[in-house]
Amino acid sequence: FMAIRRGPLALPEAGTEVFDVNTAGGTGAGQTITTGFPVDMTLVKNRTASNTEWEAWDRVRGSGEYLFPSAPDAGGALSSQWQYFKNMTSFTWRLADGYANSGGTFVDYNWRRAGGYFDAAAYSGSGSNRTQAHNLGVAPEMIWVKCRSSAGRDWQVYHSGLGATKYLRLNTTEAEATSSSRWNNTAPTSTVFSLGSFDTVNGSGDTYIAYLFASVAGVSKVGSYTGNSSSQNIDCGFTSGARFVLIKVTTQVDNWLIWDTARGISSGTDPYLRLNNNSAEQGGTDRLDPYSGGFAVTGSDMGNNRTGENYIFYAIA
């Protein structure tokens, strides 16, 4: 056979071309979610029930394998639950299992691979410092890496706001930590990202998936800010505000927080989810407000805007 490397990805011009968010109620039977574009990665969460893990699915690994972003479990196969990529503009929950359960309320976030915006790369570990190729076309500003083949290995996060000497764990509340064994103290480039020897990112004989994110003018923004315990606009270069916002304080222990317009981003209290755990949706506090150029953080909570603390974020228009 002849191996063919995927070519360069086209740069998106609008967030709606490459990102979609939906809310739905479980039916106890198959139901189709329409996105309008080919889905390359999906995150889904039961909003109303506690003790239900987030699930991540992607086209690279195939329709039958899931991962839990909120847990260190290895990948699992559940092909009877998920009929992924039924056609080029939708996917279907198949059975009354997991996130099709009757009575539940769900949210799903959907990414399309696109130049400068998002890419996914599957690879095998070597146990030695090395580089891994990608097709993003620019240097990734955030990378999530998960070991698929061995349990108990946390999700590892690179973020340009921290640099290549530090990392975060997606499935924990932990603050930033320093290590050369994750990213080999080397910033990613437009063609490769660097891996150290640690088994959470590059264990010999293990298999991994990496999700790579970057900023596209008017579409997405990977960035950072310092809290002020009051209110501040976070300018992402958008024209109609953010539809999706992920925030993590890096200097303290706290949650990975998610807001979206499908569940509500308003000038009052807004519901949020915690990507690092399996709890139900939270509400009753005003932490995020709409802002046409991106989003506004409000209040003085440690999770989003405490004076002097450092925060990373990822937003999509």
Side-chain angles (χ1 to χ4, degrees):
F1 67 91
M2 179 176 64
I4 301 176
R5 188 172 185 267
R6 292 178 299 185
L9 304 174
L11 190 71
E13 297 181 355
T16 52
E17 295 178 1
V18 290
F19 178 78
D20 185 61
V21 53
N22 301 280
T23 56
T27 64
Q31 62 174 308
T32 297
I33 305 298
T34 300
T35 60
F37 57 78
V39 176
D40 289 301
M41 192 265 279
T42 293
L43 293 179
V44 64
K45 178 72 174 75
N46 187 321
R47 303 165 52 194
T48 51
S50 297
N51 302 314
T52 58
E53 303 291 351
W54 288 82
E55 289 191 9
W57 305 78
D58 63 77
R59 189 183 296 270
V60 172
R61 290 178 299 128
S63 62
E65 184 182 326
Y66 63 88
L67 288 165
F68 296 147
S70 44
D73 303 49
L78 207 63
S79 58
S80 63
Q81 177 181 329
W82 185 259
Q83 184 180 325
Y84 203 33
F85 317 122
K86 181 179 180 182
N87 56 52
M88 295 304 285
T89 59
S90 68
F91 57 86
T92 301
W93 301 116
R94 290 182 65 180
L95 300 177
D97 190 10
Y99 298 93
N101 280 343
S102 179
T105 305
F106 310 91
V107 62
D108 56 85
Y109 305 108
N110 305 286
W111 281 259
R112 180 181 186 177
R113 289 177 60 243
Y117 167 71
F118 172 75
D119 191 25
Y123 64 92
S124 297
S126 68
S128 301
N129 296 343
R130 69 182 189 86
T131 60
Q132 171 62 40
H134 65 81
N135 288 280
L136 192 60
V138 299
E141 296 169 80
M142 182 170 66
I143 305 173
W144 302 352
V145 173
K146 182 66 179 76
C147 179
R148 303 161 53 194
S149 52
S150 296
R153 298 186 185 174
D154 294 319
W155 290 72
Q156 307 294 298
V157 179
Y158 163 86
H159 194 284
S160 57
L162 300 178
T165 64
K166 296 181 178 181
Y167 69 96
L168 289 163
R169 292 185 172 102
L170 192 67
N171 58 290
T172 78
T173 61
E174 294 177 9
E176 64 188 50
T178 301
S179 172
S180 61
S181 63
R182 268 69 173 182
W183 322 120
N184 197 26
N185 293 344
T186 305
T189 73
S190 61
T191 56
V192 300
F193 57 97
S194 292
L195 298 167
S197 58
F198 201 61
D199 61 12
T200 55
V201 296
N202 190 29
S204 178
D206 280 308
T207 56
Y208 298 83
I209 187 70
Y211 301 131
L212 300 89
F213 308 85
S215 301
V216 178
V219 174
S220 61
K221 179 66 176 179
V222 180
S224 59
Y225 64 92
T226 302
N228 69 2
S229 291
S230 179
S231 178
Q232 56 177 317
N233 293 334
I234 308 301
D235 192 355
C236 302
F238 301 161
T239 58
S240 300
R243 290 185 297 142
F244 171 91
V245 180
L246 170 67
I247 295 175
K248 174 70 172 80
V249 60
T250 65
T251 43
Q252 299 290 340
V253 172
D254 212 298
N255 297 291
W256 293 80
L257 304 176
I258 290 180
W259 292 265
D260 62 77
T261 51
R263 294 179 302 122
I265 296 177
S266 69
S267 57
T269 60
D270 305 305
Y272 61 90
L273 288 162
R274 295 176 285 195
L275 185 56
N276 52 277
N277 69 33
N278 61 14
S279 63
E281 179 179 275
Q282 306 295 306
T285 58
D286 184 10
R287 298 188 185 187
L288 202 81
D289 283 345
Y291 165 58
S292 60
F295 61 95
V297 289
T298 63
S300 59
D301 191 88
M302 182 64 76
N304 70 307
N305 196 32
R306 183 70 58 85
T307 296
E309 303 298 345
N310 296 329
Y311 297 84
I312 60 169
F313 72 87
Y314 174 53
I316 307 172

